[in-house]
């Protein structure tokens, strides 16, 4: 498998809103913790080290 | 009662009076690695002089956790029975976050294995057993209170300058094996640099004696409620001695921390008041190695070649596997049965293994002692997730345990055969009649035939193995027969389902030439 970089999530607007809602009222540290857990949970869900490496590279691109 | 350390006898070496003839092998350092090295060579008919600056075994428990492979090596050297007799076998590791258990590992016991996955025993016992065996062996000349102060490494030989209580003398050796530990004098006098990472975190390590009913399991805590540091480890050793490692942080003062008025209350918080303190020390981690382990006639092994952070038991076990790898190769070179290039394969294989150990140790160290900021964040969130999601439990890293490296090789293989016993891996043990395959393999190269006839006419001892359930699982897989070529260190060199005599003889040549 390779990293999907074309549109793949139908409810992206909903997800964005729910992601921001999840952070509402959280302190800076709590937000950081939430983000970190999300990354870990999603990484496990993806379940493919090569895909995750591509994602890391894409995120790191300037 | 703390361990009673006896002093071994010092005898003035002959070289003080008249120059000694050049020796085949001189080993510097009689720690576990140097002692095992001398014994392994002696069992192969190679004499050695073994020098140590001290006259006692290691102080404190140090390396406590010995792996199945180490036990197999110690068995070949004749001391495993003593280790099994008093050591504490264990197979379960429990990891807690605060007071909640978040990750449990069971290394299991398979009826196909003679040796347990791990036995805990203090390093001083291992050294005592090895010293006794060494002193009994006529081919080993063990010299206590012989401190190496300088080394001249030539192309044909190495020259050592040695200091004794009766003055200095010199020795010449065809091969010098540097087993003189993390602060190796040989390494320093040859201007060789250690490369890698040093960590500033300080850990308190203590041996405590107590009548307690803690199970023989490894207990590790992140952020324990009973200790103000980031982690704690409690593990049972031989006798009623327990090992305690407490993380102190970066700024701890080593001198103050080992004072009784400071250390006793710390330990009381963990185990209560009923214990006796046998030994305490404060240490920091390093994860470093030499770029090369073979420098002409000087070869480095054990901590002199590589040092790793302790959680994962890679120091002592890695060192014994260096011995295992070098012994047969050096013996074959010295006895004219193999070209000197065979020694290059020691460098290649053990560097590969050291890198695996370093990678694992650095990962565990970062998990245990994360830097403030994002490292701390992710570490803490893995621990938090482990409490609520199963997937995160194995992500918790309290040290990954030493497994024998599978050496890289392009040797013949067959996909029908199981991965466990692929070329480069240590041949797995299996019951054979009333004994074990590992014992039948011994310390020589061997062709092992399962359900077939080994090809005739090859210059290698052959073994027709009994085929049983374990053998089928570990050596046959989806095939009904197989032929394995196994090295003298019990590493699988090559294997076939249908073997052509020509292919087998080519693999045999590759074995003695140390080809990848
Ligand atoms: C406090 C502490 C805790 C540890 N805990 C663990 C652990 O939990 N698990 C683990 O796996 N490992 C642990 N280790 C590491 C483990 O002890 C080493 O990996 C192991 O001892 C390496 O064996 P070695 O024979 O290579 O070196 P060493 O045991 O260091 O032996 C070197 C020998 O060389 C001799 N020597 C040194 N210089 C000279 C010289 N110039 N001339 C002559 N002789 C010399 C010394 O006297 C010594 O006997 C610990 C180490 C320490 C210090």
């Amino acid at each position: 498998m390779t990293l999907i970089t074309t549109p793949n999530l139908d409810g992206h607007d909903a997800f964005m809103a729910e992601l921001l809602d999840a952070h509402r009222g959280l302190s800076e540290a709590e937000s950081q913790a939430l983000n970190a857990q999300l990354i870990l949970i999603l990484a496990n869900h993806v379940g493919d080290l090569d895909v995750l490496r591509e994602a890391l590279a894409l995120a790191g691109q300037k | 009662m703390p361990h009673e350390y006896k002093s071994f006898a010092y005898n003035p070496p002959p070289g003080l009076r008249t120059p000694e003839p050049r020796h085949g092998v001189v080993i510097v350092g009689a720690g576990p690695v140097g002692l095992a090295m001398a014994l392994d060579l002696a069992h192969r008919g190679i004499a050695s002089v073994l020098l140590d600056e001290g006259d006692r075994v290691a102080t404190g428990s140090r390396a406590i956790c010995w792996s199945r492979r180490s036990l197999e090596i110690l068995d070949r050297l004749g001391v495993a029975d003593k280790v099994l007799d008093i050591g504490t076998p264990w197979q379960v590791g429990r990891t807690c976050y605060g007071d909640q258990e978040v990750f449990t590992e069971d290394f299991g016991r398979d009826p196909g294995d003679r040796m347990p996955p791990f036995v805990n025993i203090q390093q001083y016992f291992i050294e005592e057993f090895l010293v006794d065996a060494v002193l009994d062996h006529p081919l080993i000349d063990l010299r206590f209170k012989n401190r190496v102060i300088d080394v001249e490494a030539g192309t044909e030989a190495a020259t050592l300058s040695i200091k004794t209580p009766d003055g200095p003398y010199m020795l010449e050796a065809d091969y010098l094996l540097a087993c003189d530990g993390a602060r190796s004098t040989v390494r320093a006098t040859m201007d060789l640099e250690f490369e890698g990472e040093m960590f500033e975190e300080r850990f308190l390590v203590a041996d405590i004696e107590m009548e307690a009913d803690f199970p023989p399991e490894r207990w590790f805590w992140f952020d324990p409620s009973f200790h103000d540091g980031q982690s704690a480890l409690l593990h049972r050793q031989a006798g009623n001695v327990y090992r305690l490692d407490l993380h102190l942080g970066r700024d701890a003062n080593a001198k103050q921390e080992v004072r009784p008025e400071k250390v006793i209350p710390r330990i009381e918080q963990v185990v209560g008041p009923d214990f006796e303190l046998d030994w305490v020390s404060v240490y920091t981690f390093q994860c470093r190695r030499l770029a090369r382990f073979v420098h002409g006639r000087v070869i480095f092994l054990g901590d002199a070649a590589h040092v790793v952070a302790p959680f994962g038991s890679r120091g002592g076990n890695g060192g014994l596997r260096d011995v295992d790898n070098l012994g047969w190769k050096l013996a074959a070179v010295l006895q004219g049965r193999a070209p000197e290039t065979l020694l290059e394969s020691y460098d290649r294989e053990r560097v590969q293994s050291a890198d695996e150990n370093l990678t694992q140790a650095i990962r565990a160290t970062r998990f245990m002692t994360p830097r403030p900021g994002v490292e701390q964040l992710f570490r803490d969130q893995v621990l938090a997730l482990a409490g609520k999601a199963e997937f995160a439990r194995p992500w918790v890293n309290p040290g990954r345990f030493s497994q024998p490296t599978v050496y890289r090789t392009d040797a013949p293989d067959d996909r029908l055969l199981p991965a466990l016993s692929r070329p480069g891996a240590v041949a797995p043990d299996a019951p054979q009649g009333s004994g074990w395959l590992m014992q039948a393999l011994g310390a020589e190269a061997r062709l092992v035939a399962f359900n077939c006839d080994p090809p005739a006419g090859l210059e290698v001892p052959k073994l027709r193995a009994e085929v049983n359930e374990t053998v089928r699982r570990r050596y046959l897989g989806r095939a009904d027969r197989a032929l394995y070529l196994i090295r003298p260190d019990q590493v699988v060199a090559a294997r076939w389902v249908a073997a052509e005599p020509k292919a087998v003889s080519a693999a045999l040549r590759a074995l003695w030439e140390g080809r990848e």
Side-chain angles (χ1 to χ4, degrees):
Chain A
M1 230 179 47
T2 55
L3 182 71
I4 300 169
T5 55
T6 51
N8 188 44
L9 178 63
D10 285 341
H12 46 78
D13 288 350
F15 176 70
M16 278 300 283
E18 285 164 38
L19 178 63
L20 298 183
D21 285 349
H23 282 277
R24 191 162 292 164
L26 298 189
S27 67
E28 186 64 31
E30 287 165 338
S31 265
Q32 292 251 17
L34 182 79
N35 282 340
Q37 287 203 15
L38 267 177
I39 292 172
L40 298 169
I41 291 166
L42 294 174
N44 181 64
H45 184 84
V46 168
D48 184 328
L49 190 55
D50 290 331
V51 171
L52 294 171
R53 285 182 177 138
E54 286 183 58
L56 279 173
L58 177 60
Q61 251 175 43
K62 290 266 150 58
Chain B
M1 220 174 34
H3 186 67
E4 272 180 50
Y5 296 93
K6 64 173 178 208
S7 294
F8 300 105
Y10 155 78
N11 301 305
L16 282 172
R17 275 172 284 112
T18 49
E20 295 181 37
R22 194 204 281 187
H23 294 277
V25 178
V26 171
I27 302 169
V28 184
V33 174
L35 290 162
M37 188 72 248
L39 269 180
D40 188 64
L41 287 171
H43 287 194
R44 300 177 191 282
I46 302 291
S48 64
V49 177
L50 174 52
L51 307 168
D52 199 280
E53 63 180 354
D55 63 351
R56 281 153 192 253
V57 295
T59 308
S61 57
R62 298 183 65 184
I64 62 165
C65 172
W66 303 85
S67 69
R68 172 179 294 133
R69 182 60 196 155
S70 289
L71 295 166
E72 288 169 354
I73 295 167
L74 293 171
D75 191 42
R76 216 175 59 210
L77 302 180
V79 301
D81 287 345
K82 290 186 183 175
V83 175
L84 292 169
D85 202 32
I86 65 164
T88 299
W90 65 277
Q91 63 187 58
V92 173
R94 296 185 193 277
T95 304
C96 304
Y97 181 32
D99 296 325
Q100 191 197 355
E101 190 172 327
V102 289
F103 175 45
T104 310
E105 265 175 301
D106 188 339
F107 297 95
R109 271 205 85 161
D110 186 310
D113 289 316
R114 173 167 169 234
M115 297 298 178
F118 300 104
V119 166
N120 279 6
I121 182 171
Q122 298 87 313
Q123 183 170 325
Y124 49 74
F125 283 128
I126 296 276
E127 291 187 24
E128 277 178 10
F129 300 155
L130 289 169
V131 168
D132 285 345
V134 159
L135 290 174
D136 269 351
H137 207 295
L139 286 178
I140 307 170
D141 179 353
L142 173 50
R143 303 180 184 181
F144 293 106
K145 292 195 169 177
N146 276 240
R147 177 177 166 67
V148 173
I149 50 172
D150 198 16
V151 169
E152 198 71 55
T155 47
E156 295 293 309
T159 311
L160 302 94
S161 304
I162 299 154
K163 235 170 106 173
T164 74
D166 296 315
Y169 73 107
M170 314 272 276
L171 279 184
E172 260 199 328
D174 292 335
Y175 285 93
L176 187 170
L177 308 184
C179 305
D180 51 346
R183 281 191 272 258
S184 170
T185 309
V186 180
R187 202 178 62 224
T189 58
M190 290 176 67
D191 283 330
L192 298 170
E193 294 281 341
F194 251 6
E195 294 161 16
E197 289 188 51
M198 313 259 286
F199 296 88
E200 285 163 30
E201 300 293 329
R202 288 175 193 276
F203 282 75
L204 181 96
V205 49
D207 287 339
I208 57 178
E209 237 177 296
M210 57 182 178
E211 301 282 344
D213 50 6
F214 286 112
E217 298 172 339
R218 179 186 198 255
W219 281 79
F220 192 97
W221 292 265
F222 289 101
D223 293 339
S225 59
F226 49 78
H227 167 61
D228 54 12
Q230 293 201 59
S231 69
L233 169 81
L234 185 66
H235 213 173
R236 189 174 188 160
Q237 314 176 37
N240 283 328
V241 179
Y242 289 77
R243 166 74 160 271
L244 192 60
D245 287 57
L246 295 174
H247 184 203
L248 299 176
R250 260 160 218 245
D251 306 321
N253 179 320
K255 278 216 186 76
Q256 275 179 18
E257 288 292 343
V258 298
R259 291 219 183 106
E261 66 267 24
K262 189 101 189 181
V263 71
I264 303 270
R266 269 202 195 285
I267 298 175
E268 275 179 356
Q269 286 186 320
V270 185
V271 299
D274 298 322
F275 69 88
E276 198 183 331
L277 181 64
D278 282 2
W279 171 68
V280 62
S281 177
V282 169
Y283 67 93
T284 52
F285 293 167
Q286 305 181 36
C287 288
R288 304 200 289 164
R289 71 164 170 89
L290 280 172
R292 285 184 53 80
F293 299 167
V294 176
H295 290 263
R297 293 305 179 101
V298 181
I299 303 176
F300 291 84
L301 299 92
D303 276 17
H306 43 70
V307 281
V308 291
F311 298 103
S313 72
R314 293 164 189 281
N317 293 308
L320 285 187
R321 245 202 130 198
D322 290 345
V323 170
D324 197 25
N325 193 292
L326 183 62
W328 66 276
K329 295 175 180 174
L330 186 59
V333 169
L334 286 168
Q335 290 162 344
R337 291 182 283 115
E340 206 174 338
T341 49
L342 177 59
L343 299 177
E344 271 305 306
S345 70
Y346 166 80
D347 195 78
R348 182 182 73 233
E349 293 178 341
R350 295 314 296 160
V351 163
Q352 181 200 338
S353 178
D355 279 344
E356 272 182 32
N357 284 330
L358 289 169
T359 301
Q360 293 286 357
I362 287 170
R363 287 177 184 168
T365 302
R366 284 175 86 178
F367 196 88
M368 274 177 226
T369 61
R371 292 199 193 101
V374 78
E375 278 194 23
Q376 180 85 46
L377 170 72
F378 275 103
R379 198 296 291 268
D380 289 349
Q381 295 317 313
V382 166
L383 287 168
L385 268 174
K388 60 183 181 185
E390 194 188 333
F391 86 83
R393 285 175 203 153
W395 290 39
V396 173
N397 191 344
R400 305 283 181 229
F401 273 83
S402 164
Q403 297 289 335
T405 295
V406 178
Y407 299 132
R408 271 189 309 268
T409 171
D410 301 325
D413 192 6
D414 194 300
R415 278 201 264 158
L416 290 177
L417 301 171
L420 183 72
S421 52
R422 66 191 178 279
V426 174
D429 208 355
Q432 290 284 292
S434 56
W436 295 88
L437 181 62
M438 204 48 80
Q439 296 170 316
L441 290 176
E444 288 181 87
R446 226 169 262 281
L447 259 185
V448 186
F450 301 95
N451 275 344
C452 65
D453 291 319
L458 292 164
E459 237 181 281
V460 58
K462 295 162 191 91
L463 176 75
R464 210 188 276 268
E466 171 196 305
V467 174
N468 51 40
E469 190 271 329
T470 307
V471 163
R472 247 178 246 118
R473 198 156 40 91
R474 296 187 162 175
Y475 285 93
L476 291 177
R478 289 179 289 134
D480 55 0
R481 68 205 150 105
L483 186 72
Y484 280 68
L485 176 62
I486 298 185
R487 312 194 319 194
D489 57 356
Q490 298 150 347
V491 167
V492 175
R495 59 182 188 172
W496 304 265
V497 174
E500 292 286 334
K502 247 170 71 189
V504 179
S505 98
L508 196 56
R509 261 198 319 281
L511 184 162
W512 290 113
E513 287 169 11
R515 272 189 268 137
E516 191 161 345

